[in-house]
């Protein structure tokens, strides 16, 4: 390739082999400019032509300021001056200096970079005539700058990510530390690591020296090399239930019942267990309190029943005596004394008979809990047949019409107690009605978990304010003269229904009749 005429002239003047060197310089992939002592341009290669748009023929003999005008960076101007006068080299680069020569970037960078990013080297060159020239080498570093920018951006993003991760890690750690439960993690090989303060407390030197063994024993994978089974008093609940309760015995302090939850997760291709230990002291305390109260209640109930039974049983004997002697008096002296004496004797006989009934009823009531028979299927149709037969047989039974739904179910219970229950309700229904029109209806309705057996009458009804109290023992809404009775019937009904795990309640209003609903569960867990 032939050198431009201007450059060639300059070349030949320096060296006879100039043509070769010039061709090399011309085709170099960096910009090369040589400045003369008088600051005018002496050499300008074709790279510079392309990048600046200024042709060699036009720039030779001019100064850089002439060529670039206002766009000439002042730093380059002073560097050329210092190079020519003092022989000082210089470097102008995008990282050190903002302004560079107005050169065109390569098309692929044009969008992002309005100017080519350059690294300019200013070098003094002494030639054979002793003159000092200034050699300027311009390198296109746009690609490097672009890479640098990308790297910086990625570094910034990375830094942000690290900050964020650290922040979320801090948060996770804070949550872990402030959790009341102790949290530990175990790797596949069973090594336990406490994750928070509570876990440190329990498993650390002040904690329970045995606890790690116990936890390792509970881990599902402890199969191959199982740790020794802890003493049974350290495992509180049956392992088969899924809920595991253990007892921690810390070196310094009270024993703590703990509930253990074990879950697993995979991290970095390995299996890990998360173990949560929850202090259940308070729950255990409550459970114990409830148990104690239940026991006390059971004891006092049993005592009461015992007392009622003993009292009514022992009362029978003297009462029988009074009863037989007053009846004897009545038979022997009726109409032999005066009218008042007859009346007194009548009251005495009547009183003892009532007392006899009350004691019988009390005895029955006290036997509900103690002498109950095992539950069995009871067909209600047969049961009500028996009730009707009983009522017919008894001479003092109230009269009336008993109507039954055709589809009465088979329920589960104690047959003789169910008979007492429904006989009481039926005879109440007849008793508290107008004897001429008394009507009692029996029906059943199926619910998901229980049967509702209802006994309705068309009698005098009950004021809602007494709907609860009529089930109390001895509670009666009428005088004995009005309707005979001991006031124990509904209390007995309630006790029987409760023994069957059911409910009894009444729907009624004065003069509107009454309906007693008995709900009996279909399934019985405790018989
Ligand atoms: N079917 C009913 N209709 C109206 N009142 C009733 C009915 N059943 C019960 N009672 C009221 O409830 C009270 C308590 O009943 P109960 O315990 O059977 O005692 P008793 O029948 O011996 O009086 C009765 O005295 C009565 O006032
Ligand atoms: Mg009654």
């Amino acid at each position: 390739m032939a050198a431009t005429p201007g450059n060639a002239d300059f070349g030949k003047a320096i060296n006879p082999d100039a043509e070769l060197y010039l061709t090399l310089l011309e085709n170099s992939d960096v910009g090369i400019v040589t400045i003369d002592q008088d600051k005018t341009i002496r050499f300008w290669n074709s790279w510079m032509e392309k990048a600046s748009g200024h042709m060699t023929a036009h720039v030779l003999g001019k100064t850089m300021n002439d060529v670039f005008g206002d766009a000439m960076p002042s730093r380059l101007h002073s560097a050329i001056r210092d190079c020519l006068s003092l022989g000082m080299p210089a470097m102008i680069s995008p990282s050190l200096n903002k302004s560079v020569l107005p050169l065109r970037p390569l098309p692929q960078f044009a969008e992002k970079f309005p100017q080519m990013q350059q690294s300019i080297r200013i070098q003094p060159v002494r030639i054979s005539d002793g003159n000092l020239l200034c050699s300027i080498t311009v390198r296109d570093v746009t690609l490097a700058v672009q890479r640098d920018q990308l790297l910086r951006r990625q570094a910034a993003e990375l830094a942000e990510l690290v900050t964020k991760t650290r922040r979320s890690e801090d948060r996770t750690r804070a949550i872990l530390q402030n959790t009341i439960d102790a949290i530990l993690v175990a790797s596949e090989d069973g090594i336990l690591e406490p994750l928070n303060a509570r876990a440190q407390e329990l498993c650390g030197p002040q904690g329970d020296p045995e606890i790690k063994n116990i936890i390792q024993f509970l881990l599902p994978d402890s199969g191959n090399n199982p740790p020794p089974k802890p003493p049974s008093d350290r495992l509180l609940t049956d392992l088969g239930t899924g809920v595991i309760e253990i007892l921690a015995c810390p070196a310094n302090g009270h024993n703590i019942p703990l509930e253990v939850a074990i879950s697993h997760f995979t991290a970095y291709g390995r299996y890990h267990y998360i173990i949560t230990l929850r202090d259940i002291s308070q729950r255990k305390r409550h459970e114990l309190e409830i148990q104690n109260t239940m026991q006390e209640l059971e004891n006092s109930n049993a005592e009461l029943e015992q007392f009622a039974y003993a009292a009514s049983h022992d009362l029978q004997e003297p009462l029988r005596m009074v009863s037989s002697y007053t009846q004897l008096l009545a038979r022997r002296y009726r109409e032999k004394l005066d009218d008042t004496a007859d009346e007194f004797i009548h009251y005495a006989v009547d009183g003892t008979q009532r007392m006899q009934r009350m004691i019988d009823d009390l005895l029955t009531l006290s036997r509900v809990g103690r002498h109950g028979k095992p539950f069995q299927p009871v067909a209600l149709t047969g049961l009500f047949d028996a009730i009707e037969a009983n009522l017919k047989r008894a001479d003092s039974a109230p009269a009336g019409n008993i109507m039954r739904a055709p589809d009465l179910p088979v329920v589960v219970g104690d047959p003789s107690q169910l008979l007492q229950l429904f006989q009481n309700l039926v005879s109440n229904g007849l008793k508290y009605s107008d004897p001429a029109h008394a009507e009692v209806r029996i029906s059943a309705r199926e619910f998901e978990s229980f049967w509702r057996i209802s006994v309705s009458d068309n009698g005098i009804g009950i004021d809602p304010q007494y709907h609860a109290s009529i089930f109390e023992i001895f509670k009666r809404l009428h005088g004995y003269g009005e309707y005979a009775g001991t006031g124990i019937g509904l209390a007995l009904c309630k006790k029987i229904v409760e023994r069957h795990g059911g409910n009894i309640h009444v729907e009624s209003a004065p003069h509107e009749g009454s309906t007693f609903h008995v709900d009996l569960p279909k399934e019985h867990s405790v018989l």
Side-chain angles (χ1 to χ4, degrees):
M1 193 208 219
T4 54
N7 282 336
D9 293 345
F10 160 60
K12 278 186 195 125
I14 300 171
N15 194 309
D17 283 333
E19 199 161 346
L20 170 67
Y21 295 122
L22 278 175
T23 312
L24 290 174
L25 291 176
E26 276 299 336
N27 294 301
S28 168
D29 68 342
V30 293
I32 299 171
V33 178
T34 310
I35 308 285
D36 229 333
Q37 233 342 278
D38 62 0
K39 293 188 185 158
T40 58
I41 298 168
R42 197 158 159 185
F43 184 82
W44 185 266
N45 73 350
S46 66
W47 189 98
M48 282 302 292
E49 278 190 334
K50 267 182 241 147
S52 68
H54 298 291
M55 303 317 282
T56 310
H58 284 119
V59 300
L60 291 186
K62 290 184 184 163
T63 66
M64 290 287 274
N65 286 60
D66 293 339
V67 174
F68 292 107
D70 289 345
M72 173 68 182
S74 57
R75 169 78 187 98
L76 182 57
H77 175 80
S78 53
I80 293 171
R81 187 195 57 214
D82 294 345
C83 178
L84 290 175
S85 55
L86 308 169
M88 226 165 81
M91 190 80 193
I92 299 176
S93 74
S95 54
L96 297 174
N97 307 86
K98 276 196 193 110
S99 55
V100 283
L101 286 169
L103 302 182
R104 277 198 293 264
L106 290 172
Q108 64 263 40
F109 301 119
E111 201 186 311
K112 276 198 179 158
F113 295 90
Q115 279 197 357
M116 177 196 289
Q117 300 295 308
Q118 308 141 41
S119 162
I120 304 175
R121 206 182 145 97
I122 296 105
Q123 191 74 32
V125 182
R126 195 168 292 280
I127 51 172
S128 47
D129 60 5
N131 265 343
L132 200 60
L133 303 184
C134 170
S135 162
I136 303 176
T137 319
V138 184
R139 219 174 277 277
D140 181 352
V141 293
T142 315
L143 181 67
V145 169
Q146 192 190 38
R147 283 201 185 128
D148 181 60
Q149 285 179 353
L150 189 73
L151 270 174
R152 276 171 208 273
R153 204 166 46 241
Q154 282 176 346
E157 279 169 11
L158 207 71
E160 197 180 336
L161 202 72
V162 167
T163 323
K164 264 192 202 153
T165 315
R166 205 165 285 154
R167 221 175 278 149
S168 102
E169 233 176 49
D170 286 350
R171 220 184 63 168
T172 315
R173 197 168 304 132
I175 293 172
L176 261 181
Q177 287 305 337
N178 292 300
T179 309
I180 311 165
D181 295 344
I183 302 171
L184 298 102
V185 67
S187 49
E188 263 165 354
D189 41 24
I191 305 281
L192 278 171
E193 189 193 334
L195 286 192
N196 64 353
R198 185 66 180 128
Q200 287 286 7
E201 251 169 59
L202 281 173
C203 303
Q206 301 300 316
D208 179 351
E210 269 293 303
I211 195 133
K212 282 193 173 177
N213 293 340
I214 299 177
I215 296 171
Q216 267 159 352
F217 175 77
L218 295 176
L219 289 179
D221 270 0
S222 55
N224 276 347
N225 207 350
K229 186 175 171 35
S232 58
D233 57 351
R234 303 296 295 276
L235 296 174
L236 298 181
T237 38
D238 175 21
L239 298 183
T241 60
V243 183
I244 309 161
E245 287 175 10
I246 63 173
L247 193 70
C249 307
N252 61 345
H254 302 291
N255 294 351
I256 310 164
L258 297 171
E259 195 175 87
V260 186
I262 299 175
S263 54
H264 58 77
F265 66 97
T266 318
Y268 308 111
R270 295 190 65 191
Y271 213 64
H272 295 263
Y273 291 105
I274 282 264
I275 301 112
T276 315
L277 305 174
R278 173 162 297 175
D279 186 336
I280 50 166
S281 310
Q282 201 154 350
R283 194 176 82 199
K284 284 273 156 199
R285 247 194 321 274
H286 287 164
E287 273 176 19
L288 205 70
E289 274 166 23
I290 291 175
Q291 248 175 31
N292 288 344
T293 317
M294 291 272 288
Q295 190 58 51
E296 277 168 24
L297 219 82
E298 245 167 55
N299 289 349
S300 80
N301 248 347
E303 264 169 36
L304 245 139
E305 272 175 12
Q306 189 93 35
F307 171 76
Y309 178 76
S312 39
H313 188 263
D314 294 352
L315 282 175
Q316 269 182 331
E317 184 49 39
L319 181 65
R320 216 170 281 136
M321 186 109 95
V322 178
S323 172
S324 13
Y325 280 99
T326 44
Q327 278 171 32
L328 206 65
L329 263 178
R331 274 206 300 280
R332 224 180 254 179
Y333 295 99
R334 179 162 305 149
E335 285 162 13
K336 289 191 181 140
L337 305 169
D338 60 10
D339 284 354
T340 328
D342 277 356
E343 198 183 326
F344 289 173
I345 290 170
H346 165 76
Y347 283 139
V349 171
D350 187 51
T352 51
Q353 280 171 349
R354 267 165 59 193
M355 199 156 174
Q356 185 69 55
R357 265 199 300 278
M358 281 173 89
I359 286 176
D360 285 346
D361 285 356
L362 260 178
L363 266 173
T364 316
L365 187 72
S366 75
R367 279 185 180 132
V368 171
R370 299 168 354 119
H371 296 278
K373 292 197 182 65
F375 289 180
Q376 63 186 71
V378 180
L380 289 185
T381 312
L383 189 93
F384 280 100
D385 285 343
I387 291 173
E388 283 189 49
N390 285 351
L391 290 177
K392 267 194 200 116
R393 216 177 304 127
D395 16 276
S396 61
N401 204 356
I402 300 173
M403 282 174 296
R404 279 191 249 160
D407 51 355
L408 292 181
V410 173
V411 296
V412 178
D414 175 338
S416 65
Q417 288 188 351
L418 290 181
L419 186 114
Q420 282 176 343
L421 160 67
F422 288 111
Q423 187 161 322
N424 262 318
L425 294 180
V426 171
S427 65
N428 271 356
L430 297 172
K431 180 164 71 170
Y432 298 103
S433 297
D434 172 0
H437 310 103
E439 232 175 56
V440 169
R441 285 168 194 274
I442 293 126
S443 61
R445 196 173 149 199
E446 184 167 15
F447 287 83
E448 198 185 320
S449 61
F450 62 90
W451 280 103
R452 170 165 292 177
I453 318 297
S454 304
V455 180
S456 310
D457 62 61
N458 58 348
I460 58 172
I462 305 160
D463 192 316
Q465 63 170 313
Y466 301 118
H467 283 187
S469 60
I470 51 169
F471 293 100
E472 288 165 16
I473 188 164
F474 299 134
K475 181 72 186 182
R476 307 198 69 226
L477 304 180
H478 308 277
Y480 190 77
E482 232 178 318
Y483 296 97
T486 57
I488 293 178
L490 286 181
L492 182 69
C493 289
K494 186 162 188 258
K495 205 162 175 193
I496 291 174
V497 172
E498 276 167 3
R499 185 182 165 230
H500 284 72
N503 271 306
I504 182 167
H505 73 278
V506 66
E507 265 173 42
S508 178
H511 317 297
E512 305 264 301
S514 311
T515 301
F516 284 82
H517 298 290
V518 174
D519 295 342
L520 293 173
K522 290 178 180 169
E523 306 268 341
H524 290 272
S525 46
V526 188
L527 297 189

